């Protein structure tokens, strides 16, 4: 997924400012595709220059509201239907697990315990987000809820795995 397509997708239902899009990222896409303010504003400029979005309104202090152009919707649909998702995943966490044998067993168990705690904390944040959102029947809400459920299940699995892995570390 690219930031470009995430922004196009967020603009499908209604126009939004950069600030609105940043808030949407923080409350809905952060567990899928995090982005900083500078990344979002930079990409909005690129999208506008490419004609995929248009500035539909300008307000005080340089505030701009963006609307998805027909070409932007076509680009989003093309990306969804004709572009194969990247399936290769790099995991710094698992790379470290692969080499835990160079540590003492206690250090290895501590690392895995830390991973379990981290997963539990992230799971709790996603659950709180789920509880805080007023879900409705709009597409972004329905499919956002599906993506959030994936995050909740994934973090629960990560916690369970880390706790199991900790029990597998042999004492020397």
């Amino acid at each position: 997924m690219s930031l470009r397509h995430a922004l196009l997708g967020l603009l499908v239902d209604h126009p939004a400012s950069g600030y609105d899009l940043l808030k949407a990222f923080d409350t809905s896409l952060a567990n899928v595709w995090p982005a900083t303010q500078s990344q979002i504003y930079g990409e909005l400029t690129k999208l506008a220059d490419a004609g995929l979005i248009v500035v539909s309104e300008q307000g005080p202090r340089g505030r701009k509201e963006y609307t998805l152009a027909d070409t932007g919707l076509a680009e989003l649909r093309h990306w969804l239907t004709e572009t194969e998702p990247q399936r290769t995943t790099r995991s710094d966490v698992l790379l470290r697990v692969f080499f835990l044998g160079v540590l003492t067993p206690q250090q290895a168990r501590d690392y895995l315990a830390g991973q379990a705690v981290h997963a539990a904390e992230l799971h709790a944040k996603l659950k709180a987000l789920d509880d805080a959102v007023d879900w409705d029947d709009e597409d972004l809400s329905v499919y956002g809820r599906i993506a959030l459920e994936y995050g909740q299940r994934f973090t629960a699995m990560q916690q369970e795995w880390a706790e199991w892995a900790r029990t597998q570390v042999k004492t020397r």
Side-chain angles (χ1 to χ4, degrees):
M1 177 176 162
S2 72
L3 178 57
R4 164 179 289 235
H5 296 102
L7 291 169
L8 292 174
L10 288 173
L11 289 170
V12 166
D13 290 331
H14 51 78
S17 67
Y19 177 77
D20 296 333
L21 293 166
L22 180 61
K23 284 189 345 189
F25 261 86
D26 288 344
T27 59
S28 64
L29 291 176
N31 72 313
V32 178
W33 195 267
T36 64
Q37 179 179 352
S38 61
Q39 290 172 321
I40 289 172
Y41 281 94
E43 191 61 38
L44 287 171
T45 299
K46 292 176 189 174
L47 289 168
D49 290 347
L52 300 175
I53 62 174
V54 295
V55 176
S56 53
E57 188 177 312
Q58 291 197 14
R61 299 181 309 276
R63 182 184 187 280
K64 296 178 184 175
E65 189 167 89
Y66 298 92
T67 301
L68 186 65
D70 290 342
T71 54
L73 181 58
E75 168 61 24
L76 180 61
R77 286 180 174 155
H78 169 79
W79 176 75
L80 285 167
T81 60
E82 299 178 35
T83 304
E84 187 66 26
Q86 292 183 4
R87 301 200 189 272
T88 56
T89 305
R90 293 181 180 176
S91 172
D92 187 50
V93 171
L94 290 179
L95 182 59
R96 290 168 190 251
V97 168
F98 198 83
F99 296 112
L100 285 179
V102 303
L103 301 177
T104 67
Q106 187 58 51
Q107 288 173 317
R109 282 191 292 276
D110 290 347
Y111 173 80
L112 292 164
Q115 294 307 308
V117 167
H118 176 74
E121 289 170 350
L122 183 53
H123 184 78
K125 287 179 184 176
L126 294 176
K127 177 70 173 121
L129 178 61
D130 189 8
D131 293 342
V133 172
D134 186 22
W135 301 106
D136 58 33
D137 291 339
E138 291 185 22
D139 284 346
L140 195 55
S141 186
V142 170
Y143 295 109
R145 173 71 181 91
I146 291 170
L148 182 60
E149 179 67 21
Y150 174 87
Q152 289 179 354
R153 290 180 187 208
F154 188 69
T155 54
M157 181 280 304
Q158 287 176 315
Q159 180 183 358
E160 180 184 333
W161 168 83
E163 290 167 352
W164 168 84
R166 190 171 185 274
T167 68
Q168 302 303 302
V169 176
K170 297 178 182 174
T171 57
R172 292 185 191 162

